[in-house]
Amino acid sequence: MRAKIILLFLSFLTFHVQAQRIDWLKIRKHRVTVLSDSLRENSSLGFSNGKLYTINDSGNSSEIFKLNSENGEITGKINTGLPNKDWEAIATDDNYFYIGDFGNNNGIRRDLKIYRIRKDSVQDIDEIRFQYPQQVEFLKKPHQNNWDAESLIYRNGFLHLFTKEWQSHQTTHYRLDPEKQEEIQNAEKLETYNLGYLATDATYFKNHLYIIGYTKKMEVYLTIFQEDETGLFFSQKPQRYYLGHALSLGQIEGIEVDENNIYISGESLQTPIGRQKQRFYIVPKSKIKTE
């Protein structure tokens, strides 16, 4: 009987490990540089016409920074003149930059918006205001609510937002129509995934969604989802990677992908052992598996 119990336990343990398999992809060795001090609180990365861009989050300038994708150096700036209440994400299409001013640590914002900025005329700016129709209370709960977000992609004519859920550690996929003429648009809820960490940025490349973030213990993870035939991402088992700890990496806030590399950025982070500077990483795509 005891042997059977041990066998059952080992079988369960093997199944559990396989179901929760996490590959290791330690990115510290792929560190390229310390980013400029003007990017100490950078948030999100985005490609446009082969050029890499980033922004800063709340309390900082409202500039869009162009980076050299090989070394992280600032090569240009676009001054939007917009307020930066809590910018968290940048996405692009052929004609526009989309800036997500939807950081919501307290869960009480009623002014969530995405700025649409025309690339060839930065004075041509629209606001896409939205709300989560499922949110029925607006009680201040710092870092204890599910209505924060830092991740945005553009895909097939729509904006796709992925939440940063402090309570559940899930992420919910919402869709917005950038062409819809409404004073406040209801974000369309599409799917939810039990991510197990806080989503801090996302990007899309060749039928794959990449979501990066960290746990409350500051362990950094990357999950890669494959898009299904309906345009959703959470119907299939993803690939998950442990990237390291924020004590050595910084607070990871940005991800972008091209044919050859994964680009990752982190903002400055004060830790018990000192301040981690804002860093830039380039990980060869050959280090991951995509189906």
Side-chain angles (χ1 to χ4, degrees), residues 20-53:
Q20 300 294 326
R21 180 175 177 179
I22 300 173
D23 292 310
W24 284 52
L25 178 61
K26 302 300 283 292
I27 67 170
R28 186 177 181 181
K29 62 184 177 182
H30 299 291
R31 180 184 297 167
V32 173
T33 191
V34 174
L35 291 168
S36 165
D37 279 346
S38 58
L39 294 173
R40 291 180 68 176
E41 295 189 53
N42 69 87
S43 184
S44 190
L45 293 169
F47 268 123
S48 175
N49 299 323
K51 305 298 182 182
L52 188 62
Y53 293 87

mmCIF file of all heavy atoms in Angstrom, residues 20-53:
data_model
loop_
_atom_site.group_PDB
_atom_site.id
_atom_site.type_symbol
_atom_site.label_atom_id
_atom_site.label_comp_id
_atom_site.label_asym_id
_atom_site.label_seq_id
_atom_site.Cartn_x
_atom_site.Cartn_y
_atom_site.Cartn_z
ATOM 1 N N GLN A 20 3.051 22.597 -15.417
ATOM 2 C CA GLN A 20 3.517 23.924 -15.053
ATOM 3 C C GLN A 20 4.949 24.180 -15.543
ATOM 4 O O GLN A 20 5.661 24.981 -14.968
ATOM 5 C CB GLN A 20 3.464 24.072 -13.525
ATOM 6 C CG GLN A 20 2.082 23.898 -12.924
ATOM 7 C CD GLN A 20 1.131 24.987 -13.336
ATOM 8 O OE1 GLN A 20 1.524 26.128 -13.514
ATOM 9 N NE2 GLN A 20 -0.127 24.632 -13.508
ATOM 10 N N ARG A 21 5.375 23.502 -16.591
ATOM 11 C CA ARG A 21 6.769 23.565 -17.012
ATOM 12 C C ARG A 21 7.200 24.991 -17.316
ATOM 13 O O ARG A 21 6.513 25.723 -18.022
ATOM 14 C CB ARG A 21 6.985 22.693 -18.241
ATOM 15 C CG ARG A 21 8.443 22.734 -18.721
ATOM 16 C CD ARG A 21 8.701 21.791 -19.847
ATOM 17 N NE ARG A 21 10.076 21.935 -20.306
ATOM 18 C CZ ARG A 21 10.607 21.225 -21.281
ATOM 19 N NH1 ARG A 21 9.878 20.306 -21.890
ATOM 20 N NH2 ARG A 21 11.862 21.423 -21.649
ATOM 21 N N ILE A 22 8.346 25.347 -16.766
ATOM 22 C CA ILE A 22 8.924 26.667 -16.984
ATOM 23 C C ILE A 22 10.356 26.479 -17.463
ATOM 24 O O ILE A 22 11.166 25.817 -16.810
ATOM 25 C CB ILE A 22 8.913 27.509 -15.695
ATOM 26 C CG1 ILE A 22 7.476 27.704 -15.201
ATOM 27 C CG2 ILE A 22 9.571 28.869 -15.938
ATOM 28 C CD1 ILE A 22 7.393 28.380 -13.839
ATOM 29 N N ASP A 23 10.661 27.028 -18.618
ATOM 30 C CA ASP A 23 12.028 26.990 -19.123
ATOM 31 C C ASP A 23 12.807 28.174 -18.569
ATOM 32 O O ASP A 23 12.241 29.219 -18.255
ATOM 33 C CB ASP A 23 12.033 27.028 -20.645
ATOM 34 C CG ASP A 23 11.460 25.756 -21.253
ATOM 35 O OD1 ASP A 23 11.903 24.670 -20.851
ATOM 36 O OD2 ASP A 23 10.565 25.855 -22.114
ATOM 37 N N TRP A 24 14.101 28.014 -18.464
ATOM 38 C CA TRP A 24 14.967 29.075 -17.950
ATOM 39 C C TRP A 24 15.603 29.811 -19.120
ATOM 40 O O TRP A 24 16.151 29.198 -20.029
ATOM 41 C CB TRP A 24 16.049 28.486 -17.038
ATOM 42 C CG TRP A 24 15.521 28.118 -15.684
ATOM 43 C CD1 TRP A 24 14.436 27.336 -15.422
ATOM 44 C CD2 TRP A 24 16.041 28.517 -14.421
ATOM 45 N NE1 TRP A 24 14.249 27.217 -14.071
ATOM 46 C CE2 TRP A 24 15.224 27.924 -13.425
ATOM 47 C CE3 TRP A 24 17.124 29.291 -14.028
ATOM 48 C CZ2 TRP A 24 15.440 28.105 -12.072
ATOM 49 C CZ3 TRP A 24 17.352 29.464 -12.673
ATOM 50 C CH2 TRP A 24 16.524 28.886 -11.710
ATOM 51 N N LEU A 25 15.533 31.108 -19.068
ATOM 52 C CA LEU A 25 16.167 31.968 -20.071
ATOM 53 C C LEU A 25 16.754 33.165 -19.322
ATOM 54 O O LEU A 25 16.168 34.246 -19.281
ATOM 55 C CB LEU A 25 15.145 32.424 -21.126
ATOM 56 C CG LEU A 25 15.647 33.367 -22.212
ATOM 57 C CD1 LEU A 25 16.754 32.723 -23.034
ATOM 58 C CD2 LEU A 25 14.502 33.802 -23.117
ATOM 59 N N LYS A 26 17.879 32.948 -18.692
ATOM 60 C CA LYS A 26 18.479 33.996 -17.870
ATOM 61 C C LYS A 26 19.024 35.100 -18.779
ATOM 62 O O LYS A 26 19.932 34.879 -19.572
ATOM 63 C CB LYS A 26 19.593 33.410 -17.001
ATOM 64 C CG LYS A 26 19.120 32.279 -16.072
ATOM 65 C CD LYS A 26 18.038 32.709 -15.104
ATOM 66 C CE LYS A 26 18.598 33.503 -13.961
ATOM 67 N NZ LYS A 26 19.437 32.730 -13.042
ATOM 68 N N ILE A 27 18.456 36.285 -18.672
ATOM 69 C CA ILE A 27 18.780 37.345 -19.628
ATOM 70 C C ILE A 27 19.907 38.263 -19.161
ATOM 71 O O ILE A 27 20.349 39.131 -19.922
ATOM 72 C CB ILE A 27 17.540 38.196 -19.970
ATOM 73 C CG1 ILE A 27 17.057 38.995 -18.752
ATOM 74 C CG2 ILE A 27 16.439 37.323 -20.537
ATOM 75 C CD1 ILE A 27 15.995 40.030 -19.091
ATOM 76 N N ARG A 28 20.378 38.077 -17.945
ATOM 77 C CA ARG A 28 21.418 38.981 -17.445
ATOM 78 C C ARG A 28 22.637 38.981 -18.365
ATOM 79 O O ARG A 28 23.252 40.031 -18.593
ATOM 80 C CB ARG A 28 21.815 38.590 -16.033
ATOM 81 C CG ARG A 28 22.786 39.573 -15.384
ATOM 82 C CD ARG A 28 23.094 39.200 -13.953
ATOM 83 N NE ARG A 28 24.013 40.157 -13.349
ATOM 84 C CZ ARG A 28 24.479 40.073 -12.113
ATOM 85 N NH1 ARG A 28 24.068 39.087 -11.331
ATOM 86 N NH2 ARG A 28 25.317 40.969 -11.651
ATOM 87 N N LYS A 29 22.982 37.825 -18.910
ATOM 88 C CA LYS A 29 24.159 37.753 -19.781
ATOM 89 C C LYS A 29 23.923 38.415 -21.137
ATOM 90 O O LYS A 29 24.879 38.599 -21.904
ATOM 91 C CB LYS A 29 24.574 36.302 -19.977
ATOM 92 C CG LYS A 29 23.539 35.430 -20.665
ATOM 93 C CD LYS A 29 24.027 33.987 -20.727
ATOM 94 C CE LYS A 29 22.973 33.073 -21.350
ATOM 95 N NZ LYS A 29 23.438 31.667 -21.371
ATOM 96 N N HIS A 30 22.666 38.780 -21.413
ATOM 97 C CA HIS A 30 22.337 39.456 -22.668
ATOM 98 C C HIS A 30 22.174 40.972 -22.468
ATOM 99 O O HIS A 30 21.620 41.652 -23.331
ATOM 100 C CB HIS A 30 21.066 38.863 -23.263
ATOM 101 C CG HIS A 30 21.188 37.397 -23.593
ATOM 102 N ND1 HIS A 30 21.989 36.919 -24.614
ATOM 103 C CD2 HIS A 30 20.638 36.303 -22.999
ATOM 104 C CE1 HIS A 30 21.904 35.605 -24.654
ATOM 105 N NE2 HIS A 30 21.090 35.205 -23.687
ATOM 106 N N ARG A 31 22.648 41.452 -21.348
ATOM 107 C CA ARG A 31 22.601 42.885 -21.059
ATOM 108 C C ARG A 31 23.505 43.627 -22.047
ATOM 109 O O ARG A 31 24.651 43.253 -22.260
ATOM 110 C CB ARG A 31 23.054 43.122 -19.627
ATOM 111 C CG ARG A 31 23.054 44.572 -19.186
ATOM 112 C CD ARG A 31 23.627 44.687 -17.781
ATOM 113 N NE ARG A 31 22.809 43.975 -16.804
ATOM 114 C CZ ARG A 31 23.216 43.710 -15.562
ATOM 115 N NH1 ARG A 31 24.427 44.053 -15.167
ATOM 116 N NH2 ARG A 31 22.410 43.077 -14.718
ATOM 117 N N VAL A 32 22.962 44.705 -22.629
ATOM 118 C CA VAL A 32 23.703 45.474 -23.625
ATOM 119 C C VAL A 32 24.245 46.768 -23.053
ATOM 120 O O VAL A 32 25.408 47.123 -23.257
ATOM 121 C CB VAL A 32 22.808 45.777 -24.861
ATOM 122 C CG1 VAL A 32 23.504 46.721 -25.833
ATOM 123 C CG2 VAL A 32 22.412 44.481 -25.557
ATOM 124 N N THR A 33 23.398 47.493 -22.293
ATOM 125 C CA THR A 33 23.811 48.814 -21.832
ATOM 126 C C THR A 33 22.927 49.303 -20.701
ATOM 127 O O THR A 33 21.859 48.732 -20.432
ATOM 128 C CB THR A 33 23.750 49.831 -22.995
ATOM 129 O OG1 THR A 33 24.397 51.043 -22.607
ATOM 130 C CG2 THR A 33 22.319 50.140 -23.385
ATOM 131 N N VAL A 34 23.387 50.367 -20.048
ATOM 132 C CA VAL A 34 22.544 51.160 -19.158
ATOM 133 C C VAL A 34 21.933 52.270 -20.000
ATOM 134 O O VAL A 34 22.657 52.995 -20.692
ATOM 135 C CB VAL A 34 23.364 51.759 -17.997
ATOM 136 C CG1 VAL A 34 22.498 52.710 -17.171
ATOM 137 C CG2 VAL A 34 23.925 50.652 -17.119
ATOM 138 N N LEU A 35 20.620 52.383 -19.961
ATOM 139 C CA LEU A 35 19.941 53.418 -20.742
ATOM 140 C C LEU A 35 20.210 54.804 -20.151
ATOM 141 O O LEU A 35 20.602 54.940 -18.987
ATOM 142 C CB LEU A 35 18.436 53.145 -20.765
ATOM 143 C CG LEU A 35 17.999 51.909 -21.559
ATOM 144 C CD1 LEU A 35 16.547 51.580 -21.252
ATOM 145 C CD2 LEU A 35 18.197 52.109 -23.053
ATOM 146 N N SER A 36 19.976 55.819 -20.956
ATOM 147 C CA SER A 36 20.154 57.206 -20.534
ATOM 148 C C SER A 36 19.356 57.504 -19.267
ATOM 149 O O SER A 36 18.278 56.934 -19.039
ATOM 150 C CB SER A 36 19.690 58.140 -21.659
ATOM 151 O OG SER A 36 19.528 59.454 -21.193
ATOM 152 N N ASP A 37 19.876 58.413 -18.444
ATOM 153 C CA ASP A 37 19.159 58.813 -17.234
ATOM 154 C C ASP A 37 17.799 59.428 -17.544
ATOM 155 O O ASP A 37 16.916 59.449 -16.677
ATOM 156 C CB ASP A 37 20.001 59.807 -16.425
ATOM 157 C CG ASP A 37 21.062 59.098 -15.584
ATOM 158 O OD1 ASP A 37 20.968 57.873 -15.424
ATOM 159 O OD2 ASP A 37 21.976 59.780 -15.094
ATOM 160 N N SER A 38 17.613 59.933 -18.747
ATOM 161 C CA SER A 38 16.306 60.469 -19.124
ATOM 162 C C SER A 38 15.286 59.360 -19.347
ATOM 163 O O SER A 38 14.099 59.633 -19.552
ATOM 164 C CB SER A 38 16.409 61.329 -20.383
ATOM 165 O OG SER A 38 16.932 60.584 -21.462
ATOM 166 N N LEU A 39 15.726 58.102 -19.261
ATOM 167 C CA LEU A 39 14.830 56.952 -19.395
ATOM 168 C C LEU A 39 14.830 56.098 -18.131
ATOM 169 O O LEU A 39 14.591 54.898 -18.178
ATOM 170 C CB LEU A 39 15.244 56.097 -20.599
ATOM 171 C CG LEU A 39 15.091 56.754 -21.967
ATOM 172 C CD1 LEU A 39 15.681 55.874 -23.055
ATOM 173 C CD2 LEU A 39 13.622 57.049 -22.261
ATOM 174 N N ARG A 40 15.062 56.727 -16.997
ATOM 175 C CA ARG A 40 15.100 55.982 -15.740
ATOM 176 C C ARG A 40 13.774 55.312 -15.427
ATOM 177 O O ARG A 40 13.723 54.298 -14.742
ATOM 178 C CB ARG A 40 15.509 56.902 -14.583
ATOM 179 C CG ARG A 40 16.953 57.368 -14.657
ATOM 180 C CD ARG A 40 17.324 58.262 -13.505
ATOM 181 N NE ARG A 40 17.335 57.523 -12.242
ATOM 182 C CZ ARG A 40 17.714 58.060 -11.077
ATOM 183 N NH1 ARG A 40 18.085 59.333 -11.025
ATOM 184 N NH2 ARG A 40 17.710 57.342 -9.982
ATOM 185 N N GLU A 41 12.671 55.895 -15.940
ATOM 186 C CA GLU A 41 11.354 55.297 -15.705
ATOM 187 C C GLU A 41 10.695 54.954 -17.035
ATOM 188 O O GLU A 41 9.509 55.192 -17.239
ATOM 189 C CB GLU A 41 10.495 56.238 -14.866
ATOM 190 C CG GLU A 41 11.044 56.458 -13.461
ATOM 191 C CD GLU A 41 10.071 57.211 -12.565
ATOM 192 O OE1 GLU A 41 8.913 56.791 -12.459
ATOM 193 O OE2 GLU A 41 10.488 58.217 -11.973
ATOM 194 N N ASN A 42 11.492 54.368 -17.935
ATOM 195 C CA ASN A 42 10.939 53.961 -19.232
ATOM 196 C C ASN A 42 9.886 52.885 -19.042
ATOM 197 O O ASN A 42 9.927 52.094 -18.108
ATOM 198 C CB ASN A 42 12.057 53.492 -20.161
ATOM 199 C CG ASN A 42 12.682 52.185 -19.718
ATOM 200 O OD1 ASN A 42 12.211 51.103 -20.071
ATOM 201 N ND2 ASN A 42 13.753 52.281 -18.916
ATOM 202 N N SER A 43 8.941 52.868 -19.963
ATOM 203 C CA SER A 43 7.855 51.895 -19.902
ATOM 204 C C SER A 43 7.430 51.547 -21.321
ATOM 205 O O SER A 43 6.997 52.422 -22.064
ATOM 206 C CB SER A 43 6.665 52.475 -19.125
ATOM 207 O OG SER A 43 5.649 51.508 -18.972
ATOM 208 N N SER A 44 7.609 50.282 -21.701
ATOM 209 C CA SER A 44 7.170 49.753 -22.985
ATOM 210 C C SER A 44 8.172 50.028 -24.098
ATOM 211 O O SER A 44 8.935 51.003 -24.059
ATOM 212 C CB SER A 44 5.794 50.321 -23.373
ATOM 213 O OG SER A 44 5.258 49.647 -24.487
ATOM 214 N N LEU A 45 8.154 49.151 -25.093
ATOM 215 C CA LEU A 45 8.941 49.301 -26.309
ATOM 216 C C LEU A 45 8.027 49.055 -27.498
ATOM 217 O O LEU A 45 7.073 48.271 -27.409
ATOM 218 C CB LEU A 45 10.099 48.301 -26.350
ATOM 219 C CG LEU A 45 11.225 48.464 -25.329
ATOM 220 C CD1 LEU A 45 12.140 47.240 -25.353
ATOM 221 C CD2 LEU A 45 12.024 49.733 -25.590
ATOM 222 N N GLY A 46 8.325 49.724 -28.625
ATOM 223 C CA GLY A 46 7.527 49.516 -29.825
ATOM 224 C C GLY A 46 8.321 49.811 -31.078
ATOM 225 O O GLY A 46 9.061 50.800 -31.124
ATOM 226 N N PHE A 47 8.172 48.969 -32.089
ATOM 227 C CA PHE A 47 8.815 49.203 -33.381
ATOM 228 C C PHE A 47 7.874 49.959 -34.310
ATOM 229 O O PHE A 47 6.671 49.729 -34.316
ATOM 230 C CB PHE A 47 9.184 47.874 -34.049
ATOM 231 C CG PHE A 47 10.572 47.389 -33.737
ATOM 232 C CD1 PHE A 47 10.763 46.138 -33.163
ATOM 233 C CD2 PHE A 47 11.678 48.163 -34.029
ATOM 234 C CE1 PHE A 47 12.037 45.679 -32.886
ATOM 235 C CE2 PHE A 47 12.960 47.714 -33.746
ATOM 236 C CZ PHE A 47 13.143 46.474 -33.181
ATOM 237 N N SER A 48 8.450 50.854 -35.109
ATOM 238 C CA SER A 48 7.727 51.524 -36.176
ATOM 239 C C SER A 48 8.694 51.754 -37.327
ATOM 240 O O SER A 48 9.722 52.405 -37.158
ATOM 241 C CB SER A 48 7.173 52.878 -35.701
ATOM 242 O OG SER A 48 6.571 53.574 -36.786
ATOM 243 N N ASN A 49 8.369 51.163 -38.481
ATOM 244 C CA ASN A 49 9.227 51.271 -39.665
ATOM 245 C C ASN A 49 10.666 50.886 -39.352
ATOM 246 O O ASN A 49 11.623 51.524 -39.808
ATOM 247 C CB ASN A 49 9.175 52.691 -40.236
ATOM 248 C CG ASN A 49 7.783 53.099 -40.668
ATOM 249 O OD1 ASN A 49 7.024 52.278 -41.192
ATOM 250 N ND2 ASN A 49 7.418 54.342 -40.427
ATOM 251 N N GLY A 50 10.825 49.831 -38.562
ATOM 252 C CA GLY A 50 12.143 49.328 -38.241
ATOM 253 C C GLY A 50 12.884 50.107 -37.180
ATOM 254 O O GLY A 50 14.027 49.765 -36.841
ATOM 255 N N LYS A 51 12.270 51.152 -36.617
ATOM 256 C CA LYS A 51 12.885 51.961 -35.571
ATOM 257 C C LYS A 51 12.245 51.621 -34.228
ATOM 258 O O LYS A 51 11.032 51.408 -34.145
ATOM 259 C CB LYS A 51 12.724 53.450 -35.861
ATOM 260 C CG LYS A 51 13.249 53.876 -37.235
ATOM 261 C CD LYS A 51 14.740 53.641 -37.389
ATOM 262 C CE LYS A 51 15.232 54.122 -38.740
ATOM 263 N NZ LYS A 51 16.674 53.856 -38.949
ATOM 264 N N LEU A 52 13.056 51.629 -33.180
ATOM 265 C CA LEU A 52 12.585 51.260 -31.853
ATOM 266 C C LEU A 52 12.262 52.509 -31.044
ATOM 267 O O LEU A 52 13.045 53.464 -31.025
ATOM 268 C CB LEU A 52 13.652 50.439 -31.139
ATOM 269 C CG LEU A 52 13.277 49.799 -29.798
ATOM 270 C CD1 LEU A 52 12.145 48.793 -29.969
ATOM 271 C CD2 LEU A 52 14.496 49.115 -29.180
ATOM 272 N N TYR A 53 11.109 52.495 -30.358
ATOM 273 C CA TYR A 53 10.648 53.644 -29.586
ATOM 274 C C TYR A 53 10.296 53.218 -28.159
ATOM 275 O O TYR A 53 9.941 52.063 -27.897
ATOM 276 C CB TYR A 53 9.412 54.272 -30.237
ATOM 277 C CG TYR A 53 9.694 54.915 -31.571
ATOM 278 C CD1 TYR A 53 9.661 54.173 -32.752
ATOM 279 C CD2 TYR A 53 10.014 56.272 -31.667
ATOM 280 C CE1 TYR A 53 9.923 54.760 -33.986
ATOM 281 C CE2 TYR A 53 10.276 56.872 -32.888
ATOM 282 C CZ TYR A 53 10.228 56.107 -34.038
ATOM 283 O OH TYR A 53 10.500 56.691 -35.262
#
